[in-house]
Amino acid sequence: MTKRTQLALATALVAALALGASGCSDPKKGSAGAGASNPAAANNGKALGGTPVKGGTLTVLSNQDFAHLDPARNWVMPAMDFGTRLLYRTLVTFKAEPGKGGSELVPDLATDLGTPSNGGKTWTFTLKEGVKYEDGSPIKAQDIKYNVERSFAPDLTGGPDYAAQYLAGGEGYKGPLQGQHLDSVKTPDDRTIVFELKRPVAEFSATATLPTFAPVPQSQEKGTQYDARPFSSGPYKIESYDRDKKLVLVRNEHWDPKTDTVRKAYPDKFVVVMGLKGGQIDDRIIAGEGADASAVQYMDMRPESAPKVLPKPEVKARLLAESQGCTEMLYLNNSRAPFNDPKVREAMQYAVDKEAVITAGGGPALNEVATAYLPPALSGGKQADTLKIAPAGDAAKAKELLKAAGKESLKVSLAVSTGDKGKAEAIQQGLSRVGIEVVVDTIDPGAYYDVIGDLSTTPDMTFTGWCPDYPSGSTWIPFVFDGRTIKEKGNQGNNSQFRDEATMKRIDEINAMADAKQANQAWIDLDAEIMKKSPAVPVMLKRKPLLVGPNIAGAYGHPVWTGTIDYGTVGLKDPSKSQG
């Protein structure tokens, strides 16, 4: 996910954050365990501003356009949260509730969480009666089948890969745009959809929360242009969309709240204003005047804004900062020199100064050092520390390993989203200690994943994170380290292009385990084995700092969706004060 950071102000920022952060001065201890002692986390686990009043215009201030709104292509936060809560519904979803309650699965378009049979290899869902699109036409099981099939189309890149990984007979399938369909997705009638899987998947109900399992009627197909105008099955529809500038959502009058126990749809209108600078967004919401009183920010508060927020109780009361549950990594391109050499990759584990990157990202109140790939939520609440490297790295050890590899000096490229420039500079400075020259290329956040996901334009290193789609190691390691998931275009997850036969064999063995506890431990053990091969360097774990205006109510960071604001329940205290 794209982040915002500024290295130059780091020293003053860390001092400001440390004032109220007992137990957080050591990044190794981390912010996740700091609880109420962490000033940034004071509002976690609750909704801010009370219960919203129906009506008014809620403004979303953003530095970027959406990467994708097409449900077959939408797989990054907060776009996925925005799409599935406002524009389209899925078979199953997560409860709209702060804290642990938000991890509960609930039916959405389906009547229940699905019925497994055939030893968990077959899953059947029945659609609720009376669910409709924005034009009043009924949502049919065939429309969900069609969107699942669309997720295989080579032109519709960027979306979740679960259908391709799980469905039987998907090998070589290229989607429905040329008239071919998948036999493993059956629709015996308009309200029944049946999925035939390659292997038992006990957690398929959770998989059905993803946008892949939202409906798209074939009559609305527009190929890559569907991104600009998804056909609504949710509480809002698109009134206008001026790319990179503004998106306006208004009510879908055919959405029936009687069929939807999750979305509250409080505002009459959502207006997303794009292309703003991050610091400008922070300052506007901190001031909270005019329309900005009824605004939320789309992407993270900038680290240098923390001193304007944390010491001021009236502003800090409007800050959300849930743990994201993701691991940010420096991905090394294993497909070519110098990172096709395991010794060079191992040297990188010691060369990176994670402490400096933590500082660049807002200090220990907003981040902690990552010591493994799997985030704490997937490893019993605490990350493993297989290599036991100090947070600032070990330059002497890195030099020793590079010398052994015959690479005492290197020049490599690093691509980051524009907002991660400060972190990139911290990485650059850390690697310069061991004779590695880093050329940093910053890319517009709206295009970042498309650029790094095209193997013809992938640089030597990329910096981004991976988050579990639901609490299971199966949503993490297979997507990040299975060489079979690598694509020429739209490559997601395995940005290292790591192809390792032993890892792939073990992934298949763990996926075949029927015992969830046994599988969970096996993922943790495999994480340690992959760490020794160093396809990527785990760098940091983050909170999601988000500011809301003084007229915002019902705002909380969703615990499953990386701490992003749950757009299904946010609204206004006083709609008459909103503008737009």
Side-chain angles (χ1 to χ4, degrees), residues 140-162:
K140 298 180 180 180
Q142 292 87 343
D143 304 336
I144 295 171
K145 170 182 167 70
Y146 185 72
N147 191 45
V148 170
E149 292 174 338
R150 293 174 78 245
S151 72
F152 286 80
D155 291 341
L156 303 181
T157 56
D161 287 345
Y162 290 88

Side-chain angles (χ1 to χ4, degrees), residues 11-178:
T11 305
L13 173 61
V14 172
L17 292 176
L19 291 174
S22 62
C24 288
S25 58
D26 183 352
K28 288 180 288 183
K29 294 179 182 177
S31 58
S37 65
N38 186 334
N43 300 321
N44 288 358
K46 60 185 179 184
L48 302 184
T51 303
V53 176
K54 190 172 182 179
T57 297
L58 191 148
T59 303
V60 181
L61 301 181
S62 179
N63 65 322
Q64 60 186 266
D65 198 350
F66 299 94
H68 295 292
L69 283 178
D70 181 335
R73 310 181 72 181
N74 188 348
W75 201 17
V76 296
M77 289 294 173
M80 194 163 80
D81 168 23
F82 190 90
T84 56
R85 286 313 209 202
L86 301 180
L87 285 171
Y88 30 81
R89 300 172 64 178
T90 47
L91 285 171
V92 177
T93 193
F94 289 100
K95 200 170 186 179
E97 193 173 298
K100 290 182 180 178
S103 301
E104 183 183 336
L105 291 171
V106 292
D108 191 357
L109 285 175
T111 56
D112 55 28
L113 302 182
T115 303
S117 56
N118 189 23
K121 289 177 70 174
T122 301
W123 280 80
T124 303
F125 295 85
T126 303
L127 269 59
K128 294 172 181 172
E129 292 187 45
V131 288
K132 297 176 181 178
Y133 290 110
E134 63 179 76
D135 66 349
S137 60
I139 297 168
K140 298 180 180 180
Q142 292 87 343
D143 304 336
I144 295 171
K145 170 182 167 70
Y146 185 72
N147 191 45
V148 170
E149 292 174 338
R150 293 174 78 245
S151 72
F152 286 80
D155 291 341
L156 303 181
T157 56
D161 287 345
Y162 290 88
Q165 289 211 23
Y166 291 170
L167 287 172
E171 298 79 6
Y173 179 60
K174 300 296 184 184
L177 302 183
Q178 307 302 320

Side-chain angles (χ1 to χ4, degrees), residues 7 330 339 347-348 350-354 356-357 392-396 398-399 402 407-414 423-440 461:
L7 185 61
L330 181 65
F339 299 127
M348 293 292 289
Y350 293 87
V352 175
D353 183 351
K354 299 179 186 178
V357 185
D394 184 338
K399 285 180 180 178
L402 287 170
K407 304 282 187 184
E408 292 186 61
S409 64
L410 287 171
K411 184 175 182 178
V412 293
S413 58
L414 167 62
K423 292 179 197 170
E425 289 169 349
I427 292 168
Q428 183 183 50
Q429 290 168 17
L431 295 183
S432 70
R433 303 176 302 174
V434 302
I436 300 175
E437 180 186 348
V438 178
V439 178
V440 176
M461 303 187 297

Side-chain angles (χ1 to χ4, degrees), residues 306-324:
K308 305 174 187 177
V309 174
L310 296 182
K312 300 176 181 177
E314 72 281 3
V315 182
K316 190 175 79 170
R318 298 191 274 115
L319 173 68
L320 300 168
E322 293 284 352
S323 290
Q324 292 194 18

